Amino acid sequence: MSLANYSSLMVTRADYYQQYRFADVFANLKRAPRSVVEKVEAIPGIDRISARVEGAAKLEMPDFPEPVSARVVSLPPRGQPAVNQLYVRQGQLPRPGRNREVAIIGSFADAHDLQPGDRFGAIIHGRRQVLTVTAVVESPEFIYTIPPGGMLPDYERYGVLWMSRESLEAAMDMKGAFNSLVVTINRGPLRIQ
């Protein structure tokens, strides 16, 4: 019976990762121009690619006096990312041109009883702004959210946020650039040239 349960969990995990296009390759960079994406897409074996902006934030949560930090990840101008797509539990993803809208990871939303329409302060790249929650989401990339340097999750003091690429590029001074690349690869035979 335990082998049947284990097998079922493995199949469910594989289906979830495939459905939401979980990345095979993760690369963090200091800064690269968006023109590099076309060169990476041309590499044999690349299936899908998302070039994004990532950064850190300090959050000011209402009725929670302790320090809270977050990882902020950009979303493409329209729709879902090509890789590491989000499952929207509640609300809708931030819209292009709406600077201060964010989607938040479900574990953090649950820990702070947040839902679409709620607002909180954030300091991103030294600039303070007030963010509005538009969605509560789940991500194959952040099943187990552990703060940098941590060993265990801390859902009250660490979260993951998603903002429109335009908004996060402006906040991080990354206009026309990216600092994170996630890729899925073809499962067929690779030809190295």
Side-chain angles (χ1 to χ4, degrees):
M1 190 167 191
S2 64
L3 288 176
N5 285 339
Y6 177 75
S7 177
S8 176
L9 286 172
M10 296 297 285
V11 168
T12 301
R13 181 186 68 182
D15 287 347
Y16 176 68
Y17 284 171
Q18 182 179 12
Q19 182 178 354
Y20 290 96
R21 299 181 178 148
F22 183 55
D24 297 306
V25 178
F26 296 79
N28 292 319
L29 316 156
K30 182 105 174 158
R31 181 187 185 98
R34 287 216 163 266
S35 60
V36 170
V37 176
E38 291 177 18
K39 293 176 184 175
V40 176
E41 285 177 322
I43 296 172
I46 298 293
D47 183 32
R48 296 178 188 273
I49 185 170
S50 282
R52 57 195 192 175
V53 176
E54 289 187 29
K58 296 292 182 193
L59 307 181
E60 302 164 354
M61 301 310 300
D63 303 321
F64 192 78
E66 298 179 39
V68 178
S69 61
R71 181 174 180 178
V72 189
V73 181
S74 69
L75 289 168
R78 290 191 183 9
Q80 287 272 4
V83 181
N84 294 340
Q85 293 188 336
L86 303 174
Y87 168 73
V88 180
R89 273 182 24 189
Q90 189 179 11
Q92 63 184 15
L93 294 178
R95 294 167 287 183
R98 304 296 288 249
N99 290 9
R100 294 186 169 100
E101 291 185 348
V102 293
I104 57 175
I105 194 81
S107 55
F108 185 75
D110 294 343
H112 289 280
D113 197 28
L114 295 170
Q115 55 192 344
D118 289 343
R119 298 165 55 118
F120 56 87
I123 299 170
I124 302 172
H125 202 63
R127 297 181 189 117
R128 186 181 186 283
Q129 51 190 299
V130 176
L131 304 175
T132 301
V133 176
T134 63
V136 176
V137 300
E138 302 299 339
S139 167
E141 184 176 0
F142 300 103
I143 299 280
Y144 197 62
T145 54
I146 301 174
M151 293 182 64
L152 298 169
D154 187 346
Y155 302 129
E156 290 184 318
R157 291 173 193 80
Y158 183 72
V160 182
L161 316 174
W162 287 264
M163 295 179 80
S164 71
R165 184 173 77 201
E166 177 184 311
S167 300
L168 195 53
E169 279 181 353
M172 298 288 299
D173 294 326
M174 295 282 286
K175 188 80 171 151
F178 66 95
N179 62 1
S180 172
L181 199 63
V182 287
V183 175
T184 59
I185 57 173
N186 289 323
R187 296 294 178 206
L190 290 176
R191 287 178 286 156
I192 309 285
Q193 298 176 357

